[in-house]
Structure formats: C-alpha cells, structure tokens
Amino acid sequence: MYTAKDHTFVICAYKESPYLEKTIQSILGQTVLGNVLISTSTPNDYVCSLAEKYHIPLKINDHHGTLGEEWNFGYDQAKTPLVTLAHQDDYYEPEFLGSVLDVFNGRSCSDKAMSSAFAPAVNSNPSSAYAINSNPVYTPTTNLNPASTTDIYLNPASNLNLRDKQLISFTDYFEIRGEKRVYKNTILAIKRILLFWMRLKGLQASRFFKLWTLRFGNPICCPSITYNKGTLGPSIFNTTFVNSLDYLELVELAKMPGFFLYIDKPLMGHRIHEESATTKNIADSSRRREDFQIFEMLWPRWIAHLIAHFYAKSEESNIVLKN
C-alpha cells in the first residue's frame, strides 16, 4: 500500500513568481503530506528565502535547458515511487494528496477511513543542493541507494502484471482568474466531456479510450498529474518540444499498458494570468505547430489540420490580455 512517504511534490520554480508562496502554502496544507522539494534552474534570493522559510530542500539545475530538461531534472530528484510536478503559480486543495493515495491504493476517493495512517515525513538529515536548515520538516524519508533503481522505484503493486499497474493519476481542476475561482466555463465543460470515458474504471486501462480522450486536444491539467515512477522510470519528458511536451507525454503514456486513474473532483486550481506559462505558450505560434504534430500522430493529416484549427481557437480563452 502506498503511504504519504511514497510521494513527492516537486515545485518547479522559475525566476520570481509572486504566486510561488501561495503554491507552497497549499502543498504544505495537505491533510496528509509526504515529501516536498523545490527545483529550479534560476536560483535567486526570492526562491532561496522561501525554501529556507518553509524548510524545503532546494535542488538547483545548473544546466538551464529546455522545459523538458528542466521537468526531467525535477522529476528525477524525487526518490519516491509517486511524483507530482507542481507549477509555481497553481493551487492544491487540502485533500489532493489523500485522494491521489486513495486511487493508487484502489480505494474510492470518498473513503477516508485510512487517512490517519498517512503522516507527514520528517528527516533530520536532508541532502539538498542548497543548504537550508539543519532540521528541515519536509524531506524524503527513504534512505535509498541512488545507484539502485530497484530501491528508488519500489512499487507496492510490483507483483501485478504490467497491464494491472497504474501509470498516472490526475484530477479535475478549476481556473483561478485574479482572486476568483472559476469552476464552469466553455473550455472546462469541453474538457470534462472529453474525460467522460476516464470516469469509467473499466476503461481506464484501455489503450483505445486513453488515446480517444486525447484525440481532440489535451483535457488533462498537467500539474494535477501524479506519475508512477515505479512503472515509468526516470526522465520521461521530451526535450525537443518547447510548449506541448505534457500533451505529447500523455499520448505516449496512453500507448503503454496500464491505468490512467481519473479523480473526478476539482482538487487543484490552475492560475490564468498574463505572466503564466499557459498564457505565454498559447500566444506563441510554436504551441500550434507542436499541437498539430501531435494531432498528426492521432489522425490523418487533413483531419489533424481541422482539429488543430478549432483547438487553437478554444485555447484562446486562456490568454489574458494586458490592460
């Protein structure tokens, strides 16, 4: 059975986001909590001070490469079977991790009887790329040999056939615009329709339905995903795509035997603002080119062109214009 110590929140920090502290607070406010670390390729006094304030290990990537390389770095820093890559301007509801553990353990999200079994991880001897505090609170609890992937990727479900293993979990989400939570709009409604088949547990391991969910665009909110490193292994992200690497990765994972575990509850908030990566990426034409490449993997070229056109139009709702 997975417990909180089997999970790591990796907070991906870039430069000086004014929302980073709110993201940290939402993660530390989980009803059950395991390990937390911050990963960055742009270390600065602001990020370092927040890491010190909240006693979180800071992992510094000295090689500032593509987004995929930075995500791979943060993902690989986690030495636990389950990993969530948290974006620096998003928000997690207190029951997010508890619900993730529930679905990975085969329980309904409404079953909280075992929640008390999960306790925050404590370790008085952390190892981090930035010295923070001699007695940090949120650090990995496992004492693993880095050279042993068998130890690092210990999977409680390892006795099962690969087809019976979980690949990822992901949740429904809401948007945060300014200080307002938005649970219903056109784009969210379309995404929930696309995710309909993933509500049915009997179809969550179906290659056809996993790919069908992704054939009209990406309805899965990237920071809501928890990856099962025990099945997927290290460095899973494409390093050539600039914007749509999360969409590409989901298509590749959908081809693998295993489960997409969908938690049909809005347990995280995706912030839409003019400086967010989502807004900037959608305004960048490279996003459209990459999306079209993915559609070509799923459809004949002429259909891919048609879907890409309407998909780009639908995503314009995520663009925040400056006054």
Side-chain angles (χ1 to χ4, degrees), residues 21 24-25 28 49-56 132 137-138:
E21 186 165 19
I24 291 173
Q25 290 172 344
L28 298 185
S49 65
L50 287 177
E52 183 173 3
K53 177 179 178 179
Y54 291 101
H55 312 304
I56 301 174
I132 296 173
V137 178
Y138 302 103

Side-chain angles (χ1 to χ4, degrees), residues 127-165:
S127 174
S128 66
Y130 179 79
I132 296 173
N133 190 299
S134 61
N135 186 30
V137 178
Y138 302 103
T139 56
T141 57
T142 47
N143 183 19
L144 303 177
N145 178 2
S148 172
T149 56
T150 300
D151 288 338
I152 290 176
Y153 305 133
L154 181 63
N155 188 343
S158 60
N159 62 317
L160 300 178
N161 183 277
L162 181 61
R163 289 185 177 275
D164 297 321
K165 290 184 179 177

Side-chain angles (χ1 to χ4, degrees), residues 187 191 282 287 291 311-319:
I187 190 67
K191 289 187 174 185
I282 292 173
R287 171 71 173 252
D291 286 340
Y311 185 59
K313 289 293 184 182
S314 70
E315 291 229 308
E316 288 178 0
S317 68
N318 281 326
I319 297 178

Side-chain angles (χ1 to χ4, degrees), residues 233-291:
S235 298
I236 61 175
F237 297 103
N238 178 282
T239 58
T240 59
F241 269 39
V242 177
N243 296 315
S244 299
L245 64 157
D246 56 330
Y247 186 13
L248 177 63
E249 180 59 29
L250 286 168
V251 170
E252 294 302 320
L253 294 182
K255 298 175 183 177
M256 295 175 58
F259 286 85
F260 274 22
L261 304 172
Y262 178 36
I263 302 171
D264 187 18
K265 296 171 64 177
L267 295 180
M268 67 144 302
H270 180 51
R271 192 179 300 275
I272 307 296
H273 60 97
E274 61 189 28
E275 296 299 321
S276 72
T278 299
T279 298
K280 290 182 176 179
N281 289 347
I282 292 173
D284 184 351
S285 61
S286 65
R287 171 71 173 252
R288 297 190 180 191
R289 290 195 299 270
E290 291 176 356
D291 286 340

Side-chain angles (χ1 to χ4, degrees), residues 4-174:
K5 70 179 182 180
D6 296 313
H7 176 272
T8 301
F9 276 108
V10 178
I11 304 170
C12 300
Y14 180 71
K15 294 185 177 179
E16 299 182 13
S17 169
Y19 304 105
L20 176 58
E21 186 165 19
K22 290 185 177 180
T23 299
I24 291 173
Q25 290 172 344
S26 73
I27 288 173
L28 298 185
Q30 296 295 297
T31 55
V32 295
L33 184 64
N35 312 291
V36 183
L37 61 86
I38 298 174
S39 172
T40 185
S41 63
T42 57
N44 54 70
D45 290 343
Y46 173 71
V47 173
C48 292
S49 65
L50 287 177
E52 183 173 3
K53 177 179 178 179
Y54 291 101
H55 312 304
I56 301 174
L58 178 61
K59 304 292 186 177
I60 298 176
N61 181 5
D62 294 324
H63 175 63
H64 180 51
T66 65
L67 181 59
E69 290 172 324
E70 296 194 12
W71 282 7
N72 280 333
F73 175 82
Y75 173 89
D76 290 343
Q77 296 309 300
K79 307 306 179 185
T80 54
L82 304 180
V83 184
T84 302
L85 295 183
H87 296 187
Q88 65 181 0
D89 43 13
D90 293 331
Y91 171 87
Y92 292 86
E93 294 283 25
E95 63 269 30
F96 175 88
L97 179 54
S99 298
V100 167
L101 294 172
D102 281 344
V103 295
F104 272 104
N105 287 323
R107 292 196 300 271
S108 167
C109 291
S110 61
D111 178 10
K112 301 300 180 184
M114 295 295 291
S115 293
S116 61
F118 306 129
V122 178
N123 189 335
S124 60
N125 295 299
S127 174
S128 66
Y130 179 79
I132 296 173
N133 190 299
S134 61
N135 186 30
V137 178
Y138 302 103
T139 56
T141 57
T142 47
N143 183 19
L144 303 177
N145 178 2
S148 172
T149 56
T150 300
D151 288 338
I152 290 176
Y153 305 133
L154 181 63
N155 188 343
S158 60
N159 62 317
L160 300 178
N161 183 277
L162 181 61
R163 289 185 177 275
D164 297 321
K165 290 184 179 177
Q166 308 103 328
L167 301 174
I168 61 172
S169 74
F170 58 97
T171 77
D172 192 2
Y173 75 102
F174 54 91

